[in-house]
């Protein structure tokens, strides 16, 4: 029996399935996924179907790419209703998508489908009604999850965890704590954390040289002595495998902090 954390799958469905087999994930275990299930990788539809039918012992947390998907699909739903399109018709869905893309080209403030995943899904035969079902499932995901590991309170979050946003540097950069949970990078380590606890996050690939969490594609660990807080970054850049041979999908078992890689 163990509690396993995986983050930033990014459409790498085959590697994700291989990881579940490697850790021998079964009904007595718990799996915590720390967000970013889609975008960049080759099998986004498969990942979306998996989260729609995830087992009861899987806790799914929302990442920034998942939030982008929700925002994009909500916009398509609202505009599609005004246009009177058939949400079950793929052709109508593509017309709707192309109309919004044209609008975004005229307005820099409108960002739609920055990784091309929605276009890929529509082109593969998925209509707006199915996209909405996936978006509704993502909306039910929490922004973080608390548990205990090795006598410490442990927070699993996509990017960073902070108890209070009452820090000037954070108020100017993040409009809300939810944005911090999904988008923070080094600030999550500099200002976040939990006293006498542990934070497990992803979001910042450990494969990128120059990033604070660079560890050549292996899990990054940092201990903050002042807070007595252990920080983990488990995004090892699996979706970058075509660009970097050291990119991996990583998994951390909380009970003994054992690392697994695909």
């Amino acid at each position: 029996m163990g509690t396993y954390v995986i983050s930033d799958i990014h459409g790498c469905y085959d590697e994700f399935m291989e990881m579940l087999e490697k850790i021998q994930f079964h009904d007595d275990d718990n799996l915590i996924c720390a967000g970013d299930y889609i975008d960049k990788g080759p099998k986004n539809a498969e990942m979306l179907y998996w989260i729609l039918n995830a087992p009861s012992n899987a806790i799914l947390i929302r990442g920034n790419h998942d939030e982008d998907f929700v925002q994009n699909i909500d916009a398509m739903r609202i505009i599609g209703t005004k246009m009177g399109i058939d949400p079950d018709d793929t052709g109508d869905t593509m017309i709707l998508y192309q109309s919004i893309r044209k609008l975004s080209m005229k307005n820099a403030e409108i960002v739609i489908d920055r990784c091309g995943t929605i276009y890929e899904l529509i082109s593969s035969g998925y209509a707006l009604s199915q996209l909405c079902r996936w978006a509704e499932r993502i909306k039910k995901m929490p922004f973080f999850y608390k548990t205990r590991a090795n006598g410490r309170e442990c927070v699993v979050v996509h990017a960073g965890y902070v108890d209070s946003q009452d820090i000037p540097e954070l108020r100017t950069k993040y409009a809300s704590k939810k944005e911090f949970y999904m988008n923070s990078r080094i600030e999550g380590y500099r200002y976040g954390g939990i006293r006498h606890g542990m934070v497990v996050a992803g979001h910042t690939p450990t494969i990128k040289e120059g990033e604070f969490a660079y560890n050549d594609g292996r899990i990054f660990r940092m201990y903050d002595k002042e807070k007595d807080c252990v920080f983990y970054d488990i995004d090892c850049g699996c979706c970058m495998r075509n660009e970097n041979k050291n990119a991996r999908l990583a998994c951390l078992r909380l009970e003994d902090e054992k690392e697994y890689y695909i």
Side-chain angles (χ1 to χ4, degrees):
M1 180 177 180
T3 302
Y4 299 89
V5 188
I6 301 174
S7 187
D8 294 86
I9 300 163
H10 281 299
C12 296
Y13 177 80
D14 291 342
E15 290 86 347
F16 178 54
M17 289 295 105
E18 191 176 342
M19 180 64 80
L20 295 185
E21 184 176 343
K22 184 169 189 173
I23 64 176
Q24 299 182 351
F25 179 64
H26 52 76
D27 293 344
D28 293 333
D29 296 319
N30 289 307
L31 175 68
I32 308 173
C33 294
D36 279 8
Y37 308 89
I38 58 171
D39 286 344
K40 302 180 180 180
K43 292 191 174 181
N44 295 296
E46 288 85 347
M47 277 310 308
L48 287 164
Y49 273 120
W50 185 86
I51 68 172
L52 202 61
N53 301 286
S56 59
N57 56 336
I59 297 105
L60 308 184
I61 296 166
R62 199 182 317 192
N64 61 303
H65 282 261
D66 314 312
E67 179 69 10
D68 285 349
F69 181 81
V70 167
Q71 297 296 329
N72 288 173
I73 300 307
D74 277 352
M76 289 181 66
R77 177 179 51 79
I78 293 168
I79 296 172
T81 300
K82 292 179 179 179
M83 289 175 61
I85 73 151
D86 180 355
D88 295 316
D89 186 277
T90 309
D92 274 10
T93 303
M94 183 60 81
I95 291 171
L96 169 63
Y97 175 85
Q98 291 173 338
S99 298
I100 298 175
R101 287 287 290 184
K102 287 179 182 178
L103 183 63
S104 70
M105 291 176 187
K106 297 177 182 178
N107 189 338
E109 293 183 2
I110 300 174
V111 180
I112 183 80
D113 196 25
R114 58 188 171 127
C115 292
T117 297
I118 296 173
Y119 178 79
E120 167 201 313
L121 293 169
I122 299 170
S123 298
S124 299
Y126 296 103
L128 179 61
S129 55
Q130 181 60 53
L131 301 178
C132 287
R133 279 191 282 272
W134 284 325
E136 289 304 310
R137 175 62 186 91
I138 292 170
K139 287 180 184 179
K140 295 177 182 177
M141 295 179 184
F143 292 94
F144 63 86
Y145 179 79
K146 288 186 177 182
T147 184
R148 291 196 68 82
N150 292 332
R152 290 178 177 269
E153 184 175 16
C154 177
V155 178
V156 181
V157 66
H158 180 62
Y161 179 80
V162 64
D163 282 321
S164 171
Q165 200 189 355
D166 192 25
I167 301 170
E169 291 85 353
L170 301 186
R171 288 200 306 270
T172 56
K173 188 169 184 178
Y174 301 98
S176 66
K177 283 199 289 186
K178 289 179 181 178
E179 282 195 20
F180 187 87
Y181 299 149
M182 291 187 294
N183 291 294
S184 62
R185 293 198 187 274
I186 195 170
E187 302 91 354
Y189 295 72
R190 185 173 291 158
Y191 303 109
I194 182 169
R195 289 198 173 279
H196 314 299
M198 177 189 297
V199 174
V200 181
H203 187 55
T204 301
T206 68
I207 201 70
K208 287 190 175 182
E209 293 190 50
E211 290 282 1
F212 73 93
Y214 175 71
N215 195 26
D216 201 21
R218 303 192 77 83
I219 289 173
F220 172 81
R221 185 184 191 275
M222 186 189 88
Y223 176 66
D224 186 318
K225 187 175 181 180
E226 182 181 344
K227 296 174 186 171
D228 182 30
C229 183
V230 177
F231 290 91
Y232 276 103
D233 181 348
I234 63 171
D235 176 7
C236 295
C238 184
C239 63
M240 303 174 190
R241 294 179 80 176
N242 291 335
E243 308 162 25
N244 192 312
K245 62 182 178 62
N246 291 330
R248 305 172 176 90
L249 182 66
C251 175
L252 180 71
R253 186 166 64 194
L254 295 184
E255 286 75 13
D256 56 2
E257 300 176 49
K258 182 176 180 179
E259 301 174 8
Y260 300 84
Y261 296 97
I262 297 296

